[in-house]
Amino acid sequence: MEAAVAIFGLLFVLFVLAGVFLTVKAVKAAKRGVDRTVAQARRTVEDTTLRARQIAQPGVVGELAQLRLSLRTSMRATQDVLHTGSPEDASLSEAIGLFERLSAHGHELDDELKRLEREPDRATIAARLPELRERMERITHSAESLRWAARDRARKFAEDDLAALSDQIDVEAGALRHWTHDEAGAAGGPSGTEARPGQASDTADGGDSWGPAPDAPQAITARDPRTQPSYPWQKAPRTEGTTTT
Protein backbone atom coordinates (compact mmCIF):
# COMPACT_ATOMS: atom_id res chain seq x y z
CA MET A 1 0.00 0.00 0.00
CA GLU A 2 2.79 2.41 0.92
CA ALA A 3 4.57 1.57 -2.36
CA ALA A 4 1.43 2.37 -4.38
CA VAL A 5 1.03 5.70 -2.58
CA ALA A 6 4.67 6.53 -3.26
CA ILE A 7 4.28 5.69 -6.95
CA PHE A 8 1.14 7.81 -7.26
CA GLY A 9 2.89 10.65 -5.46
CA LEU A 10 5.87 10.40 -7.80
CA LEU A 11 3.61 10.40 -10.85
CA PHE A 12 1.79 13.46 -9.52
CA VAL A 13 5.06 15.31 -9.03
CA LEU A 14 6.18 14.36 -12.56
CA PHE A 15 2.90 15.61 -14.03
CA VAL A 16 3.25 18.89 -12.15
CA LEU A 17 6.83 19.35 -13.33
CA ALA A 18 5.84 18.56 -16.92
CA GLY A 19 3.01 21.09 -16.71
CA VAL A 20 5.33 23.75 -15.35
CA PHE A 21 7.89 23.01 -18.08
CA LEU A 22 5.31 23.24 -20.85
CA THR A 23 3.89 26.44 -19.37
CA VAL A 24 7.32 28.06 -19.23
CA LYS A 25 8.00 27.08 -22.84
CA ALA A 26 4.66 28.46 -23.95
CA VAL A 27 5.27 31.74 -22.12
CA LYS A 28 8.74 32.09 -23.65
CA ALA A 29 7.40 31.35 -27.14
CA ALA A 30 4.63 33.91 -26.67
CA LYS A 31 7.16 36.47 -25.43
CA ARG A 32 9.36 35.87 -28.48
CA GLY A 33 6.34 36.31 -30.73
CA VAL A 34 5.42 39.57 -29.01
CA ASP A 35 9.01 40.81 -29.24
CA ARG A 36 9.13 40.04 -32.97
CA THR A 37 5.82 41.80 -33.52
CA VAL A 38 6.93 44.87 -31.60
CA ALA A 39 10.28 44.98 -33.42
CA GLN A 40 8.56 44.65 -36.79
CA ALA A 41 6.11 47.42 -35.92
CA ARG A 42 8.94 49.68 -34.73
CA ARG A 43 10.91 49.09 -37.96
CA THR A 44 7.82 49.85 -40.03
CA VAL A 45 7.23 53.11 -38.16
CA GLU A 46 10.87 54.15 -38.51
CA ASP A 47 10.94 53.36 -42.23
CA THR A 48 7.74 55.33 -42.78
CA THR A 49 9.15 58.27 -40.84
CA LEU A 50 12.37 58.22 -42.86
CA ARG A 51 10.46 58.17 -46.16
CA ALA A 52 8.32 61.09 -45.05
CA ARG A 53 11.37 63.02 -43.86
CA GLN A 54 13.20 62.33 -47.12
CA ILE A 55 10.34 63.88 -49.09
CA ALA A 56 9.22 66.65 -46.72
CA GLN A 57 12.63 67.91 -45.58
CA PRO A 58 15.01 68.59 -48.47
CA GLY A 59 18.61 69.37 -47.73
CA VAL A 60 20.93 67.65 -45.29
CA VAL A 61 18.11 66.24 -43.16
CA GLY A 62 16.51 64.62 -46.19
CA GLU A 63 19.87 63.23 -47.30
CA LEU A 64 20.48 61.72 -43.88
CA ALA A 65 17.07 60.07 -44.05
CA GLN A 66 17.84 58.76 -47.54
CA LEU A 67 21.16 57.28 -46.36
CA ARG A 68 19.53 55.56 -43.39
CA LEU A 69 16.71 54.20 -45.52
CA SER A 70 19.07 52.80 -48.18
CA LEU A 71 21.27 51.21 -45.52
CA ARG A 72 18.37 49.59 -43.66
CA THR A 73 16.70 48.31 -46.84
CA SER A 74 19.84 46.67 -48.19
CA MET A 75 20.84 45.07 -44.88
CA ARG A 76 17.34 43.75 -44.23
CA ALA A 77 17.07 42.23 -47.72
CA THR A 78 20.42 40.46 -47.34
CA GLN A 79 19.49 39.16 -43.89
CA ASP A 80 16.22 37.72 -45.21
CA VAL A 81 17.93 35.94 -48.12
CA LEU A 82 20.68 34.40 -45.98
CA HIS A 83 18.44 33.24 -43.14
CA THR A 84 15.81 31.89 -45.55
CA GLY A 85 18.33 29.78 -47.46
CA SER A 86 20.47 28.60 -44.52
CA PRO A 87 18.17 25.69 -43.46
CA GLU A 88 18.55 24.14 -46.94
CA ASP A 89 22.19 25.09 -47.56
CA ALA A 90 24.64 24.66 -44.70
CA SER A 91 27.33 26.45 -46.72
CA LEU A 92 25.59 29.75 -46.00
CA SER A 93 26.60 29.59 -42.32
CA GLU A 94 29.96 31.23 -43.08
CA ALA A 95 28.20 33.91 -45.12
CA ILE A 96 25.87 34.56 -42.18
CA GLY A 97 28.89 34.99 -39.91
CA LEU A 98 30.36 37.55 -42.30
CA PHE A 99 27.04 39.34 -42.52
CA GLU A 100 26.82 39.59 -38.74
CA ARG A 101 30.23 41.30 -38.69
CA LEU A 102 29.04 43.61 -41.45
CA SER A 103 25.87 44.32 -39.49
CA ALA A 104 27.96 45.71 -36.64
CA HIS A 105 29.35 48.34 -39.00
CA GLY A 106 25.87 49.00 -40.36
CA HIS A 107 24.40 49.54 -36.88
CA GLU A 108 27.27 51.85 -36.01
CA LEU A 109 26.66 53.95 -39.13
CA ASP A 110 22.89 54.00 -38.59
CA ASP A 111 23.35 55.22 -34.99
CA GLU A 112 25.72 57.94 -36.18
CA LEU A 113 23.27 59.09 -38.85
CA LYS A 114 20.49 59.10 -36.27
CA ARG A 115 22.56 61.33 -33.94
CA LEU A 116 23.29 63.75 -36.78
CA GLU A 117 19.56 64.16 -37.39
CA ARG A 118 19.43 66.05 -34.08
CA GLU A 119 22.54 68.12 -34.85
CA PRO A 120 21.61 71.81 -35.22
CA ASP A 121 24.79 72.71 -37.14
CA ARG A 122 23.75 71.98 -40.73
CA ALA A 123 27.14 73.07 -42.10
CA THR A 124 28.93 70.37 -40.10
CA ILE A 125 26.46 67.75 -41.34
CA ALA A 126 26.92 68.87 -44.95
CA ALA A 127 30.69 68.60 -44.58
CA ARG A 128 30.44 65.04 -43.29
CA LEU A 129 27.87 63.82 -45.81
CA PRO A 130 30.40 62.67 -48.49
CA GLU A 131 32.27 60.51 -45.98
CA LEU A 132 29.04 59.09 -44.57
CA ARG A 133 27.71 58.33 -48.04
CA GLU A 134 30.94 56.55 -48.96
CA ARG A 135 30.71 54.37 -45.83
CA MET A 136 27.11 53.55 -46.58
CA GLU A 137 27.93 52.55 -50.15
CA ARG A 138 30.76 50.28 -49.01
CA ILE A 139 28.51 48.52 -46.51
CA THR A 140 25.58 48.13 -48.90
CA HIS A 141 27.89 46.93 -51.69
CA SER A 142 29.22 44.18 -49.42
CA ALA A 143 25.69 43.25 -48.37
CA GLU A 144 24.56 43.11 -51.99
CA SER A 145 27.52 40.88 -52.89
CA LEU A 146 26.48 38.37 -50.23
CA ARG A 147 22.81 38.60 -51.19
CA TRP A 148 23.30 38.05 -54.92
CA ALA A 149 25.85 35.30 -54.38
CA ALA A 150 23.34 33.43 -52.20
CA ARG A 151 20.61 33.93 -54.80
CA ASP A 152 22.86 32.75 -57.64
CA ARG A 153 23.80 29.69 -55.60
CA ALA A 154 20.16 28.81 -54.94
CA ARG A 155 19.24 29.34 -58.60
CA LYS A 156 22.16 27.14 -59.74
CA PHE A 157 21.05 24.32 -57.43
CA ALA A 158 17.50 24.63 -58.72
CA GLU A 159 18.66 24.52 -62.35
CA ASP A 160 20.85 21.46 -61.70
CA ASP A 161 18.02 19.68 -59.94
CA LEU A 162 15.61 20.51 -62.78
CA ALA A 163 18.10 19.28 -65.40
CA ALA A 164 18.61 15.99 -63.56
CA LEU A 165 14.86 15.58 -63.13
CA SER A 166 14.27 16.27 -66.84
CA ASP A 167 16.83 13.62 -67.80
CA GLN A 168 15.17 11.06 -65.53
CA ILE A 169 11.75 11.91 -66.97
CA ASP A 170 13.07 11.52 -70.54
CA VAL A 171 14.48 8.09 -69.70
CA GLU A 172 11.26 7.00 -68.03
CA ALA A 173 9.16 8.35 -70.91
CA GLY A 174 11.26 6.34 -73.36
CA ALA A 175 10.83 3.23 -71.24
CA LEU A 176 7.08 3.70 -71.11
CA ARG A 177 6.90 3.99 -74.92
CA HIS A 178 9.05 0.90 -75.52
CA TRP A 179 7.42 -2.47 -75.97
CA THR A 180 8.78 -5.57 -77.82
CA HIS A 181 7.15 -8.42 -79.72
CA ASP A 182 8.21 -10.79 -76.98
CA GLU A 183 6.21 -8.78 -74.44
CA ALA A 184 3.26 -8.71 -76.84
CA GLY A 185 3.52 -12.47 -77.32
CA ALA A 186 3.55 -13.01 -73.57
CA ALA A 187 0.32 -11.01 -73.42
CA GLY A 188 -1.34 -13.31 -76.00
CA GLY A 189 -0.10 -11.80 -79.28
CA PRO A 190 0.42 -13.78 -82.46
CA SER A 191 4.06 -14.62 -81.67
CA GLY A 192 3.16 -16.34 -78.41
CA THR A 193 0.03 -18.35 -79.37
CA GLU A 194 -0.51 -21.41 -81.46
CA ALA A 195 -2.80 -21.41 -84.49
CA ARG A 196 -6.34 -22.32 -83.54
CA PRO A 197 -8.23 -24.99 -85.53
CA GLY A 198 -9.61 -23.55 -88.73
CA GLN A 199 -7.31 -20.55 -88.65
CA ALA A 200 -5.14 -20.07 -91.71
CA SER A 201 -1.51 -20.33 -90.75
CA ASP A 202 -0.17 -18.92 -93.97
CA THR A 203 -1.42 -15.67 -95.45
CA ALA A 204 1.07 -15.57 -98.27
CA ASP A 205 -1.66 -16.75 -100.71
CA GLY A 206 -3.57 -13.56 -100.17
CA GLY A 207 -5.98 -14.82 -97.51
CA ASP A 208 -6.73 -12.38 -94.73
CA SER A 209 -6.26 -13.39 -91.08
CA TRP A 210 -8.44 -11.99 -88.29
CA GLY A 211 -5.39 -11.69 -86.05
CA PRO A 212 -2.95 -8.77 -86.19
CA ALA A 213 -0.12 -8.93 -88.65
CA PRO A 214 3.23 -10.12 -87.18
CA ASP A 215 4.87 -6.77 -87.77
CA ALA A 216 1.92 -4.59 -86.71
CA PRO A 217 2.36 -2.51 -83.55
CA GLN A 218 0.57 -3.82 -80.54
CA ALA A 219 -2.37 -1.89 -79.19
CA ILE A 220 -2.14 -0.46 -75.69
CA THR A 221 -5.19 -0.90 -73.54
CA ALA A 222 -6.47 2.46 -72.36
CA ARG A 223 -6.71 2.90 -68.61
CA ASP A 224 -9.97 3.64 -66.91
CA PRO A 225 -9.89 7.42 -66.14
CA ARG A 226 -11.85 6.77 -62.95
CA THR A 227 -8.90 4.82 -61.52
CA GLN A 228 -6.32 7.52 -62.30
CA PRO A 229 -4.89 9.78 -59.58
CA SER A 230 -6.16 13.30 -59.69
CA TYR A 231 -4.03 16.45 -59.57
CA PRO A 232 -5.01 20.06 -58.93
CA TRP A 233 -4.53 20.97 -62.59
CA GLN A 234 -6.75 18.14 -63.87
CA LYS A 235 -10.46 18.25 -64.45
CA ALA A 236 -12.55 15.60 -62.73
CA PRO A 237 -13.09 12.63 -65.13
CA ARG A 238 -16.63 12.18 -66.43
CA THR A 239 -18.34 8.99 -65.39
CA GLU A 240 -20.97 7.03 -67.24
CA GLY A 241 -24.49 8.11 -66.61
CA THR A 242 -23.43 11.69 -65.77
CA THR A 243 -25.39 14.25 -67.67
CA THR A 244 -24.26 17.79 -68.23
CA THR A 245 -26.63 20.66 -68.13
Side-chain angles (χ1 to χ4, degrees), residues 26-206:
V27 170
K28 289 183 177 180
K31 184 177 182 300
R32 287 194 298 268
V34 172
D35 292 340
R36 285 194 298 268
T37 302
V38 172
Q40 180 65 33
R42 183 167 54 248
R43 286 195 299 267
T44 301
V45 171
E46 290 179 354
D47 290 347
T48 303
T49 303
L50 289 175
R51 290 189 181 95
R53 189 176 298 165
Q54 179 183 359
I55 298 174
Q57 296 181 336
V60 292
V61 176
E63 292 187 27
L64 288 175
Q66 190 271 330
L67 292 178
R68 290 190 62 196
L69 192 59
S70 299
L71 176 65
R72 293 159 64 91
T73 302
S74 178
M75 298 296 286
R76 190 176 302 134
T78 303
Q79 183 182 45
D80 292 341
V81 170
L82 294 178
H83 285 279
T84 300
S86 59
E88 300 177 358
D89 189 358
S91 299
L92 292 179
S93 58
E94 184 175 354
I96 291 177
L98 293 174
F99 176 75
E100 290 176 352
R101 293 173 56 188
L102 183 65
S103 295
H105 293 277
H107 286 302
E108 181 180 356
L109 177 59
D110 186 66
D111 292 339
E112 186 172 355
L113 293 172
K114 187 185 300 184
R115 288 192 298 269
L116 288 175
E117 290 176 348
R118 299 186 295 269
E119 174 62 43
D121 189 355
R122 303 304 189 199
T124 301
I125 300 176
R128 294 202 55 190
L129 274 177
E131 181 266 335
L132 295 171
R133 186 179 297 106
E134 192 269 339
R135 283 175 58 190
M136 186 274 296
E137 290 175 353
R138 290 176 60 187
I139 294 173
T140 56
H141 175 73
S142 297
E144 290 171 359
S145 297
L146 287 175
R147 182 169 71 250
W148 285 108
R151 286 175 174 172
D152 292 342
R153 181 180 178 87
R155 183 171 61 253
K156 176 61 176 175
F157 285 165
E159 291 175 353
D160 291 345
D161 183 69
L162 179 58
L165 179 61
S166 299
D167 292 340
Q168 293 176 4
I169 290 175
D170 291 341
V171 172
E172 182 63 21
L176 292 174
R177 292 191 180 97
H178 179 71
W179 59 88
T180 64
H181 296 300
D182 294 337
E183 292 172 346
S191 61
T193 58
E194 297 180 357
R196 289 179 287 180
Q199 179 180 354
S201 60
D202 186 8
T203 59
D205 56 355

